[in-house]
Amino acid sequence: MDVSTEKKRPLQTETEVLSEAQRDEQALARLGKKPILKRRFRFLSILGFTCTILITWEAELIIFTIGLTNGGSAGLVYSYLFSFIGSIAVFTTMGELASMAPTSGGQYHWASMLAPSFCKKFLSYMMGWLVICGWQAILAGSAYLGGNMILALATLTHANYTPELWQGTLVYWAVMAVSIGINTVFSKVLPKIESFILGLHLGGFLAILIPLVYLAPEKASARDVFAVFENGGGWPTTTLSVFVGLLGSVFATYGTDCAVHMAEEIHSANVVIPWCMLSTTLLNGVLGFAMLVALLFVTVDIDSVLESPTGALGFPFMQVCQDATGSRGGATAMICIIIIMMICASIAFLATSSRIVFAFGRDRGLPFSRTMATVQTSTAIPLHAIFVMAFVSCLIGLINIGSATAFNAVISLGVSSLYSSYVLTEALLLYHRIRGTIRSPSQLSNSSWHANELVWGPFHVPGIWGILLNTFAVGYGIIVIIFSVFPQVVNPDPAHMNYSCLVTGAIMLSAVVYYCVYAKKVYTGPVVEIAPHQIA
């Protein structure tokens, strides 16, 4: 047999793929994509990345008062558990999708694969915009929280200081500058940075939980924490109030799909991503619940905490830390851990959002698509996409100078946008799952495999359990979407209105107009750059 001919022979089965790099290349080719980005992440580093995105126990400290207003301590505990279970279902199901199609495009690519032929192009396009807008809002929100926590800490340590809105925007831009620097100048060592941040995430949890519980001079009773419900929003029933307060717990437990959008930079992505998503959800969920319960036990007088200088700025947990430790220095050290983790989250948010822009630009779904899809040769990163997302975030920061309410309206669309993308793709998966139209890898050889075939990946929940899990994930997602647009109180004034529905609708309307005017002429769904049988 001629040796040169043997080397050029197409790979026929999984067993003939000799290396991890070849398996990754084959998995990407089955989605019609050529490898452009460099694979730098492995399980531990991408676990650090996803844990940094979720920062569940840190987020519980920051936003726990949302659930206290609607639901009270008991409502917050049980809504968190409901959100935790729902997140496990959502991201396990999404893990199956990621195992089938590990691409940075994520939801919009999956929609193109799963949707009926008559609407797959349009649904895929709209999904791309939903995901980009959702991650853009989260990026802006994380930089905003990080910046304003710095100002709130200054208020705690300097009683005569009163922060101004423009100062918040300047610090917001400083956080974005750090995120840009890490994602560009230090992009080659980003996986190592994320592994270090994972250690900080776990160590910081103990560094805050132990002194918070041990040093607190007074603690609430178990009955106050687990049996007292509140309806501070004035809703017709307490049950409805608890569901309105669910948003805080959802905010702390979503975003694990960031691993999906880094797929083309992860070794063995079709295996690592789903297990990383599940591990992150479980790990962060447990840590978040422990921190939440501890926080509720040590927050005895919630009214005084909310009325404190830091509480008035939206960060009552800072006063809780000072009251528990009895030391301004100790509280400052604890708060600094949270601030550092929030800034680290902004770094990961920028990386994630830029990869979605890169992928959607590669498939001609954005204005200036060729520029968006450009990858710098020396670093193998989508430099233009990084700068575009950072620049848009900086522009959004200008809104905060004029009105904090208007700024909050923009960043409020994160939950509604991303959960809409989750529900739509997982509902389409459920449809195919029930019909049995998704095949197993053993039914196809590489030579007969067409791009974007519906074939289960290595991570798969089979049979009736997969259907039940998928169904629960869709149902939970629908509940989240419904209550993500509710205001916190009945008959709110403009400052307390939830504008996420309005903002999401306006962005989607703009996307539809752009699609009708131009995009439908150039966007045909994910572009097939290479056929699976072309791998040699």
Side-chain angles (χ1 to χ4, degrees):
M1 181 179 292
D2 181 62
V3 176
S4 62
T5 303
E6 178 67 18
K7 288 183 178 179
K8 293 179 181 178
R9 185 173 59 85
L11 300 174
Q12 296 298 316
T13 65
E14 292 286 348
T15 58
E16 294 180 22
V17 180
L18 301 177
S19 69
E20 181 183 61
Q22 286 176 307
R23 289 195 299 271
D24 290 335
E25 185 180 0
Q26 188 179 64
L28 201 55
R30 287 171 178 170
L31 303 174
K33 298 300 179 186
K34 296 179 180 179
I36 300 176
L37 304 177
K38 186 174 181 179
R39 296 185 187 270
R40 297 189 176 101
F41 287 88
R42 294 190 180 274
F43 180 80
L44 187 63
S45 54
I46 200 64
L47 179 66
F49 187 91
T50 51
C51 284
T52 302
I53 289 278
L54 252 68
I55 53 170
T56 302
W57 68 262
E58 297 93 334
E60 281 300 329
L61 285 169
I62 298 170
I63 47 88
F64 79 104
T65 53
I66 295 177
L68 285 179
T69 301
N70 285 291
S73 294
L76 185 53
V77 169
Y78 302 123
S79 65
Y80 180 91
L81 291 174
F82 176 63
S83 176
F84 182 27
I85 295 170
S87 295
I88 292 173
V90 167
F91 293 114
T92 301
T93 304
M94 188 170 289
E96 293 183 286
L97 286 163
S99 189
M100 288 171 58
T103 168
S104 297
Q107 292 94 311
Y108 84 80
H109 196 118
W110 301 338
S112 180
M113 293 172 63
L114 296 165
S117 57
F118 73 90
C119 64
K120 65 168 55 183
K121 176 181 170 182
F122 179 73
L123 275 182
S124 172
Y125 175 80
M126 296 304 295
M127 196 74 68
W129 275 96
L130 270 175
V131 176
I132 288 175
C133 290
W135 280 103
Q136 178 68 79
I138 297 173
L139 171 60
S142 66
Y144 173 77
L145 287 174
N148 279 273
M149 277 195 288
I150 293 173
L151 297 182
L153 178 59
T155 302
L156 181 70
T157 55
H158 299 80
N160 296 325
Y161 172 67
T162 302
E164 302 288 342
L165 289 176
W166 63 269
Q167 294 172 331
T169 296
L170 288 179
V171 183
Y172 169 102
W173 286 345
V175 173
M176 286 306 307
V178 172
S179 301
I180 295 169
I182 299 295
N183 274 280
T184 54
V185 179
F186 300 102
S187 61
K188 292 182 178 180
V189 295
L190 182 59
K192 294 181 180 180
I193 293 173
E194 294 298 342
S195 297
F196 170 78
I197 294 172
L198 176 60
L200 180 62
H201 176 65
L202 298 175
F205 170 77
L206 296 175
I208 290 179
L209 181 71
I210 293 173
L212 194 66
V213 174
Y214 182 75
L215 297 176
E218 187 178 1
K219 297 180 179 66
S221 67
R223 181 186 178 280
D224 290 337
V225 173
F226 296 108
V228 175
F229 293 86
E230 298 289 344
N231 184 1
W235 299 99
T237 66
T238 302
T239 301
L240 179 59
S241 180
V242 170
F243 275 102
V244 172
L246 176 67
L247 182 62
S249 297
V250 172
F251 180 83
T253 54
Y254 84 122
T256 314
D257 57 304
C258 61
V260 172
H261 306 299
M262 301 297 291
E264 295 173 40
E265 297 169 69
I266 301 173
H267 294 278
S268 301
N270 58 354
V271 176
V272 168
I273 290 175
W275 283 110
C276 179
M277 293 172 72
L278 182 57
S279 300
T280 300
T281 303
L282 292 173
L283 175 62
N284 277 271
V286 171
L287 296 183
F289 185 69
M291 185 61 74
L292 172 63
V293 172
L295 190 62
L296 293 175
F297 269 106
V298 302
T299 308
V300 178
D301 188 354
I302 185 62
D303 291 331
S304 65
V305 169
L306 292 173
E307 293 169 1
S308 67
T310 58
L313 293 173
F315 304 106
F317 81 93
M318 295 185 178
Q319 188 63 45
V320 173
C321 290
Q322 178 159 322
D323 292 344
T325 60
S327 165
R328 183 171 295 177
T332 299
M334 295 165 71
I335 294 165
C336 283
I337 295 174
I338 308 298
I339 293 174
I340 291 170
M341 288 305 303
M342 186 57 68
I343 294 173
C344 291
S346 298
I347 295 169
F349 287 137
L350 181 56
T352 300
S353 59
S354 65
R355 270 50 171 192
I356 308 167
V357 170
F358 152 76
F360 206 37
R362 177 177 58 183
D363 291 323
R364 301 194 292 266
L366 293 171
F368 310 106
S369 292
R370 184 173 297 179
T371 301
M372 300 296 183
T374 300
V375 173
Q376 190 180 40
T377 306
S378 60
T379 58
I381 60 170
L383 196 62
H384 294 160
I386 291 172
F387 283 129
V388 166
M389 293 303 282
F391 178 70
V392 172
S393 293
C394 289
L395 290 181
I396 292 174
L398 290 172
I399 300 174
N400 185 54
I401 298 176
S403 170
T405 300
F407 180 84
N408 289 331
V410 174
I411 65 174
S412 66
L413 61 89
V415 172
S416 58
S417 294
L418 287 189
Y419 259 92
S420 295
S421 73
Y422 300 166
V423 168
L424 287 170
T425 50
E426 293 182 359
L428 290 170
L429 176 65
L430 180 61
Y431 169 76
H432 285 281
R433 186 174 226 140
I434 293 173
R435 293 189 64 198
T437 54
I438 305 176
R439 294 185 282 182
S440 66
S442 60
Q443 295 176 276
L444 293 172
S445 68
N446 196 61
S447 57
S448 64
W449 201 311
H450 301 290
N452 297 311
E453 289 267 11
L454 293 181
V455 183
W456 290 115
F459 183 89
H460 171 45
V461 183
I464 186 62
W465 294 110
I467 293 175
L468 292 175
L469 184 73
N470 199 159
T471 302
F472 180 72
V474 172
Y476 168 75
I478 292 172
I479 291 173
V480 170
I481 293 170
I482 291 172
F483 287 101
S484 70
V485 300
F486 271 56
Q488 290 298 299
V489 296
V490 177
N491 300 320
D493 57 30
H496 296 90
M497 176 60 75
N498 186 334
Y499 293 97
S500 62
C501 184
L502 174 64
V503 176
T504 303
I507 291 174
M508 289 301 99
L509 180 61
S510 301
V512 169
V513 171
Y514 178 72
Y515 178 83
C516 294
V517 173
Y518 178 73
K520 68 178 181 180
K521 302 173 185 176
V522 296
Y523 183 75
T524 57
V527 175
V528 176
E529 302 168 346
I530 187 173
H533 66 271
Q534 291 179 293
I535 302 176

